[in-house]
Amino acid sequence: MASSDNQHALGKILDLTRMLSIFLLALHFYYFCYQVFYLWGYSSVFTDRILAQISKTGLFFGFGKSKLLALGLLIVSLFGAQGKKKENLSRAQTLALLVFGLLLYFLSAQVLSLCYDNELACLWYMALTTTGFLTVLAAGTLLSRLINLPFNNGDIFNRENESFPQNETLYQTEFSVNLPAEYELKGKIKSSWVNFIEPFRGILVMGSPGSGKSYFIIRHIITQHIAKGFSMFVYDFKYDDLSSIAYNAWLASKAASGKMPKFYAVNFDDLSRSHRCNPIEHSSMLDITDAAESARTILLGLNREWIKRQGDFFVESPINLLTAVFWFLRKYNGGSLCTLPHVIEFLQIEYDHLFTLLRTEKEIEILIDPFVSAYLNNAMEQLEGQIASAKIALARLSSPQLYYILSGNDFSLDINNPDDPKIVCMGNNPQKIQIYGAVLSLYVNRLVKLVNKKDKLKSSLIFDEFPTVYLNGIDSLIATARSNKVCTTIAVQDLSQLKKDYGREQADVIMNVMGNIISGQVSGESARQLSDRFGRIQQNRTSFSINRHDTSINRSKQLDAAIPVSKIAALSAGEFVGITADNPNQRMELKSFHCRILNDHKAIKKQQNAYKPLPIIRKVDDSVIYSNYLRIKEDIKDMVNLEIEKLLSDPMRHHLVIKKKK
């Protein structure tokens, strides 16, 4: 009730003020246009006396004093105006109307000096001044109907509210990767650093094609680790993009330090620039479990859908058969024929000879016994289903070029051997991904097993487009390799891509065990998981409501996502979000970041133009490649004939020979 009375009293005061302004304007007209009013008969002795008394106060000293005072009272009365709020009113149009009214109100005095007819001049002057006065009154009333919000509406995407402090200090160690960056905090651009001071806890690089994974991140991991003396393995999906970076970084570091690891490159397209390497070299295959792991890797690499079906009869049977073949050739003649090409050719021999030779090795007897029983009992449909899966898959690798690379021994895969450190780059071809990917998977699995050991040098394993290779036990590598100074960097386009090739469980494990994550633009589940990982920050929230009289503003603080899903899905190229890991000796308070990585584009372009191509290792022509292909086939034929003859001539072992009646 009291509030209503106060509002009513205030309204009366404002009305009185407005009436006073009108009265003052009327006195102004009467005083300065007195002759016209006298001619019209609107003057009297009484009003003249009152006007004379008022003039003594100084109100009419100067033409504009009374006029300005009348306008002032009008403006005061408008301060309390409370019109009904209207959303579609234009602020600019209302202000333009106000300016027009003020100009008309003050410039109307020029009519008195321009017009020679005094009566007409006074009429025009009073009409224009009154029009200006009423226009100001109307504009002021419209201003009260505008919706005024006391907060900035320009930040429609809430960028300023979602910004947060980030690490601005450079933390350098003998293992670290440091990326210069800049970020936005409350509308200001600040310099920062993305410091991977503990790369041994794993680095996961995510981002859709074109987000800048290789250009802004992976190239710096390669160059900085090579400069710090790391041994290195690089899986180059689009050969020779990363291999060229690694090779030229190796040349620069070698020139600066004089002592660096040796450089090796493997690719299956340009054989003259490729070293040769046997992934199942007998000295690295210490027991039958190594053979089983290699067999599983190559077959799952060739049949990616088998990854989700491990444990099935028709998945495990071919793996057991291939394990037996691997181990047989590993044991035969000191492992002289223990290469993947010899394995492929050995599997193609007829079943009588195949099972006869495999039975001679006691360690694999338990593996091949089901196959021998099925063969002798004429269960040929089952047997063909078991063996054909391996034979058909491996037959895709029967290529003179692949045989040439896989049958050589230019280097071993123990890249972090203190006596013989290496930088090894292996290239894939997106157009031949299914074939090359399986062979490279075998290389990778054998290399990881040799690298993840104690008392070795620090090493860096970099996998571009990781889902295109199959690495068995990647989760255990990341979890255990830290103590052995093995830094694992995995680049993927999206978490769904990883789930497609590795299965949901394995993909989730990889995502969760990674200590360092940096991501460009991703969407869907990948973005949701990242947003949850970055946590929440306190953000200001402002809401408003509109009624007839005023605008009500409510302000509050609440925890909300530091980096929302929508923001991760809309990142520009070179813009990244992520979280870094620290260690007990060097703690970082600010681990999360949302920044733009700074690359010196001119310097990088200049470096790329000066890059030296990968060297020619040896001159290789088609005759050399094909003769090597035929030699491998002959090796298997000679070995089979020789061993069968030995068995036939030995009464003690003659019973091992299988000769099924047709």
Side-chain angles (χ1 to χ4, degrees):
M1 192 63 156
S3 175
S4 177
D5 291 342
N6 292 338
Q7 290 289 335
H8 187 67
L10 178 61
K12 287 186 175 181
I13 293 172
L14 294 176
D15 290 341
L16 179 61
T17 306
R18 191 173 297 116
M19 293 302 296
L20 284 174
S21 70
I22 296 172
F23 177 71
L24 279 176
L25 185 62
L27 286 177
H28 171 82
F29 289 154
Y30 188 77
Y31 184 84
F32 288 102
C33 298
Y34 180 78
Q35 293 180 350
V36 174
F37 282 98
Y38 182 77
L39 290 174
W40 291 346
Y42 291 117
S43 63
S44 65
V45 176
F46 177 73
T47 57
D48 290 347
R49 287 178 181 176
I50 294 175
L51 192 63
Q53 295 297 321
I54 293 175
S55 64
K56 291 179 182 180
T57 63
L59 178 65
F60 300 120
F61 290 173
F63 183 79
K65 187 174 182 179
S66 56
K67 191 175 182 181
L68 192 62
L69 184 59
L71 180 64
L73 289 173
L74 175 63
I75 292 173
V76 170
S77 70
L78 290 174
F79 278 127
Q82 292 183 344
K84 183 179 180 181
K85 302 297 180 182
K86 193 173 182 180
E87 293 186 51
N88 58 357
L89 279 179
S90 170
R91 186 183 300 271
Q93 291 179 357
T94 304
L95 291 175
L97 184 66
L98 177 64
V99 171
F100 174 75
L102 291 172
L103 290 175
L104 203 62
Y105 186 77
F106 286 107
L107 295 180
S108 58
Q110 301 299 318
V111 176
L112 295 175
S113 59
L114 294 176
C115 190
Y116 296 103
D117 188 336
N118 189 42
E119 184 178 357
L120 184 61
C122 288
L123 281 172
W124 273 107
Y125 172 69
M126 287 187 289
L128 292 175
T129 303
T130 303
T131 303
F133 184 86
L134 295 175
T135 302
V136 172
L137 176 62
T141 304
L142 288 176
L143 281 175
S144 71
R145 301 177 68 184
L146 286 172
I147 299 173
N148 299 309
L149 301 178
F151 52 88
N152 183 17
N153 276 328
D155 187 17
I156 59 174
F157 292 110
N158 202 33
R159 289 192 180 95
E160 184 174 327
N161 206 24
E162 289 170 351
S163 62
F164 54 91
Q166 299 174 36
N167 179 65
E168 300 179 11
T169 306
L170 173 63
Y171 294 93
Q172 267 190 313
T173 69
E174 60 175 314
F175 311 118
S176 66
V177 176
N178 307 100
L179 307 176
E182 64 180 17
Y183 73 102
E184 187 174 345
L185 179 64
K186 303 303 180 184
K188 296 180 180 179
I189 302 298
K190 294 195 171 189
S191 298
S192 65
W193 285 92
V194 177
N195 300 299
F196 297 116
I197 63 174
E198 192 60 31
F200 301 126
R201 294 175 64 178
I203 302 175
L204 178 62
V205 184
M206 300 175 65
S208 58
S211 59
K213 298 189 298 295
S214 299
Y215 183 69
F216 288 95
I217 302 169
I218 297 177
R219 71 175 300 119
H220 295 299
I221 297 176
I222 292 173
T223 55
Q224 292 185 33
H225 273 176
I226 289 178
K228 292 181 178 182
F230 275 71
S231 59
M232 182 175 290
F233 171 80
V234 178
Y235 169 62
D236 189 356
F237 178 65
K238 293 179 289 187
Y239 185 85
D240 62 346
D241 292 355
L242 300 182
S243 300
S244 183
I245 295 172
Y247 177 66
N248 284 274
W250 174 74
L251 289 177
S253 298
K254 186 178 180 181
S257 64
K259 184 180 180 181
M260 284 293 292
K262 296 177 182 177
F263 185 87
Y264 296 96
V266 173
N267 80 90
F268 305 109
D269 293 324
D270 188 356
L271 302 188
S272 63
R273 298 181 187 273
S274 175
H275 291 87
R276 304 170 69 191
C277 180
N278 178 12
I280 57 171
E281 204 273 327
H282 70 278
S283 62
S284 65
M285 197 174 293
L286 303 180
D287 55 47
I288 197 170
T289 59
D290 292 334
E293 186 177 359
S294 299
R296 183 175 297 275
T297 298
I298 192 68
L299 287 178
L300 295 186
L302 288 167
N303 303 279
R304 300 304 293 270
E305 69 276 6
W306 285 10
I307 296 174
K308 304 171 187 177
R309 294 171 48 205
Q310 295 184 67
D312 288 359
F313 175 77
F314 285 104
V315 172
E316 298 300 326
S317 293
I319 293 174
N320 286 347
L321 177 63
L322 191 57
T323 301
V325 175
F326 275 169
W327 193 246
F328 174 80
L329 293 179
R330 161 65 180 85
K331 300 287 285 187
Y332 178 78
N333 197 25
S336 61
L337 301 183
C338 189
T339 71
L340 188 58
H342 286 95
V343 169
I344 296 170
E345 293 300 324
F346 186 74
L347 273 173
Q348 307 308 312
I349 66 176
E350 59 182 67
Y351 290 163
D352 284 346
H353 293 164
L354 176 64
F355 295 137
T356 295
L357 294 179
L358 291 178
R359 290 174 73 189
T360 61
E361 180 57 51
K362 290 293 184 183
E363 291 184 59
I364 60 176
E365 189 173 3
I366 192 171
L367 294 176
I368 65 162
D369 185 62
F371 298 94
V372 175
S373 297
Y375 182 61
L376 294 176
N377 293 322
N378 290 319
M380 297 308 294
E381 290 186 6
Q382 173 187 320
L383 185 66
E384 288 295 344
Q386 293 173 284
I387 298 179
S389 299
K391 291 177 65 175
I392 293 172
L394 290 171
R396 297 203 297 267
L397 303 180
S398 182
S399 158
Q401 290 77 17
L402 288 175
Y403 277 22
Y404 180 77
I405 298 296
L406 295 168
S407 60
N409 250 334
D410 292 341
F411 66 95
S412 60
L413 294 172
D414 55 342
I415 61 172
N416 58 350
N417 186 339
D419 299 324
D420 187 22
K422 308 172 189 72
I423 295 174
V424 177
C425 296
M426 292 191 177
N428 204 336
N429 184 338
Q431 297 177 348
K432 303 177 182 179
I433 183 174
Q434 191 171 9
I435 304 301
Y436 290 176
V439 177
L440 291 168
S441 298
L442 182 58
Y443 274 119
V444 168
N445 277 270
R446 297 304 303 151
L447 181 142
V448 165
K449 192 169 184 67
L450 295 172
V451 165
N452 193 16
K453 294 181 179 179
K454 294 184 179 298
D455 303 322
K456 299 287 187 177
L457 298 177
K458 57 187 178 183
S459 59
S460 183
L461 310 179
I462 299 171
F463 300 95
D464 185 25
E465 301 296 342
F466 177 71
T468 59
V469 294
Y470 173 66
L471 178 52
N472 187 29
I474 177 63
D475 51 339
S476 62
L477 169 67
I478 299 167
T480 61
R482 177 178 174 272
S483 59
N484 295 327
K485 295 183 179 178
V486 179
C487 168
T488 306
T489 301
I490 293 175
V492 300
Q493 292 183 6
D494 190 83
L495 185 59
S496 59
Q497 184 189 32
L498 200 58
K499 290 180 178 179
K500 170 181 168 290
D501 291 303
Y502 276 81
R504 176 175 293 274
E505 291 182 0
Q506 186 81 326
D508 288 340
V509 170
I510 293 173
M511 180 77 172
N512 292 331
V513 300
M514 284 293 188
N516 302 282
I517 295 180
I518 182 167
S519 174
Q521 181 191 34
V522 292
S523 57
E525 188 176 351
S526 301
R528 285 191 291 273
Q529 285 201 25
L530 288 172
S531 181
D532 290 342
R533 192 156 183 165
F534 301 142
R536 299 174 179 272
I537 57 174
Q538 270 199 344
Q539 297 184 26
N540 295 322
R541 286 288 179 267
T542 305
S543 61
F544 65 94
S545 60
I546 304 168
N547 56 36
R548 176 182 177 85
H549 301 292
D550 60 4
T551 303
S552 175
I553 308 296
N554 295 316
R555 295 180 182 273
S556 63
K557 283 184 178 289
Q558 67 182 47
L559 286 173
D560 211 341
I563 310 175
V565 173
S566 58
K567 185 168 287 188
I568 298 173
L571 294 174
S572 302
E575 190 176 3
F576 293 89
V577 299
I579 190 166
T580 58
D582 58 10
N583 57 54
N585 299 324
Q586 204 166 18
R587 295 186 178 276
M588 288 192 301
E589 183 179 352
L590 302 173
K591 299 183 179 68
S592 298
F593 60 86
H594 171 202
C595 63
R596 290 178 290 274
I597 303 296
L598 300 179
N599 270 0
D600 189 341
H601 304 295
K602 292 183 178 179
I604 291 175
K605 187 68 175 177
K606 185 177 180 181
Q607 287 176 359
Q608 290 175 337
N609 292 334
Y611 275 176
K612 294 182 179 180
L614 292 167
I616 295 176
I617 309 304
R618 59 178 69 86
K619 292 185 177 180
V620 181
D621 55 30
D622 292 341
S623 62
V624 173
I625 297 171
Y626 195 67
S627 63
N628 178 78
Y629 179 70
L630 295 178
R631 181 186 60 79
I632 291 171
K633 289 179 175 289
E634 288 299 322
D635 286 343
I636 294 300
K637 287 181 181 179
D638 293 343
M639 183 268 288
V640 171
N641 293 333
L642 178 62
E643 291 303 310
I644 293 296
E645 287 180 6
K646 284 182 179 181
L647 289 173
L648 290 173
S649 61
D650 185 354
M652 300 295 294
R653 305 175 68 199
H654 187 275
H655 67 283
L656 295 174
V657 178
I658 297 175
K659 193 170 184 181
K660 187 178 177 183
K661 293 181 180 180
K662 302 292 185 181

